[in-house]
Amino acid sequence: MRTWEKGIIMIARTIVFFGLISTLMYGKFDQILSAAAGLFALFVPSIVRKIYPHPSRRIWPWVSPFYNDSIYALFAIFMAAHITFLNVPFLQLDLYNQVWKGADVPSHYLGGLVTWVIFNEVVLESSRTYNLHWSPLKIVSISLFALFLVGIAWEFFEVALQPNMPWLYESMSNKMQDVVMELLGFGTGILMVFKLEYPYSMKKPLENAPVQFGTTSVDILPQPDHVKE
């Protein structure tokens, strides 16, 4: 793990931890639940790596995002921002509902970015691991479709929660804005992956894939014809 990525993850954990303490002191139940879940989520990749250091080839595509340090760092940024928007530590300030109604704009943007890079890596590693030989266009199309479905499902989930959590009410235009921001996050992810090759490359194997992965991610990449010969 790069030093700066490790630093981002540690800072995010600290921010969310203070956010949890703050919500326990001042927050509502949903804020406490969100902060606790967020703090736990920031340790999940580390827990998965500890418990399952050498994933099998069969399930590798589905767990590969847990082993990608760069995705871990991006997820940490999103989680720290999201929890802070819900309750600024020790200020008893809910930006979503008290100060800045547009706080869900960056939240949905970052959420769209992180969700897409996760989905795209799963599809990409599926193509590599199972030798499906999918083109980058097909891989991106599948992951974008998954992102769109999840974005729509999330909005319906919020509507279903409104009877018990009326503060979740949003106008139809606001919900459309949320989906648009998630798609803008997807657009940023496209630029990062294809131009910067971050948090991973569509052409090169995952840098920090587990070394003893049965047949490693490098080995199961389709080989050029001249190499096969």
Side-chain angles (χ1 to χ4, degrees):
M1 181 180 292
R2 300 178 182 92
T3 302
W4 64 270
E5 288 175 334
K6 186 175 182 179
I8 286 175
I9 293 168
M10 295 303 295
I11 291 171
R13 287 174 176 173
T14 301
I15 291 172
V16 176
F17 173 75
F18 283 126
L20 176 59
I21 298 301
S22 180
T23 56
L24 289 171
M25 294 171 61
Y26 310 113
K28 296 177 292 187
F29 175 74
D30 65 306
Q31 294 174 327
I32 296 172
L33 189 62
S34 296
L39 184 61
F40 174 74
L42 286 172
F43 285 91
V44 167
S46 297
I47 295 172
V48 171
R49 297 181 193 191
K50 187 72 173 178
I51 295 176
Y52 199 22
H54 307 301
S56 67
R57 172 174 178 167
R58 180 179 301 175
I59 69 166
W60 167 248
W62 305 99
V63 300
S64 58
F66 291 115
Y67 298 83
N68 187 323
D69 296 331
S70 301
I71 286 182
Y72 199 170
L74 288 176
F75 174 74
I77 292 172
F78 161 69
M79 191 56 63
H82 181 68
I83 299 303
T84 299
F85 292 155
L86 282 174
N87 191 314
V88 181
F90 306 113
L91 294 182
Q92 198 177 354
L93 194 61
D94 180 353
L95 292 181
Y96 281 119
N97 299 302
Q98 296 178 348
V99 178
W100 182 26
K101 292 294 184 180
D104 63 340
V105 170
S107 188
H108 279 278
Y109 169 76
L110 290 172
L113 168 61
V114 172
T115 303
W116 178 76
V117 296
I118 290 174
F119 287 168
N120 196 65
E121 177 165 311
V122 170
V123 180
L124 174 62
E125 289 298 319
S126 295
S127 178
R128 289 171 171 174
T129 302
Y130 307 135
N131 292 318
L132 300 175
H133 306 288
W134 286 339
S135 68
L137 178 60
K138 183 171 184 177
I139 291 170
V140 170
S141 297
I142 293 172
S143 57
L144 173 59
F145 181 67
L147 172 65
F148 183 75
L149 286 182
V150 168
I152 297 297
W154 176 257
E155 298 304 325
F156 277 105
F157 177 68
E158 284 188 336
V159 171
L161 291 178
Q162 283 177 13
N164 296 320
M165 300 179 180
W167 56 86
L168 290 178
Y169 172 79
E170 294 176 336
S171 65
M172 183 58 66
S173 62
N174 186 277
K175 292 192 174 299
M176 292 178 63
Q177 173 185 275
D178 292 344
V179 175
V180 169
M181 294 310 300
E182 289 160 6
L183 294 177
L184 287 177
F186 153 75
T188 302
I190 285 285
L191 292 175
M192 292 174 63
V193 170
F194 281 88
K195 296 296 183 181
L196 303 178
E197 296 191 335
Y198 188 88
Y200 49 81
S201 170
M202 295 289 288
K203 299 177 182 179
K204 303 173 185 175
L206 185 62
E207 290 181 3
N208 58 314
V211 177
Q212 299 177 4
F213 164 47
T215 305
T216 66
S217 183
V218 179
D219 296 332
I220 50 189
L221 283 171
Q223 298 297 315
D225 291 338
H226 71 277
V227 174
K228 295 177 182 179
E229 295 172 359

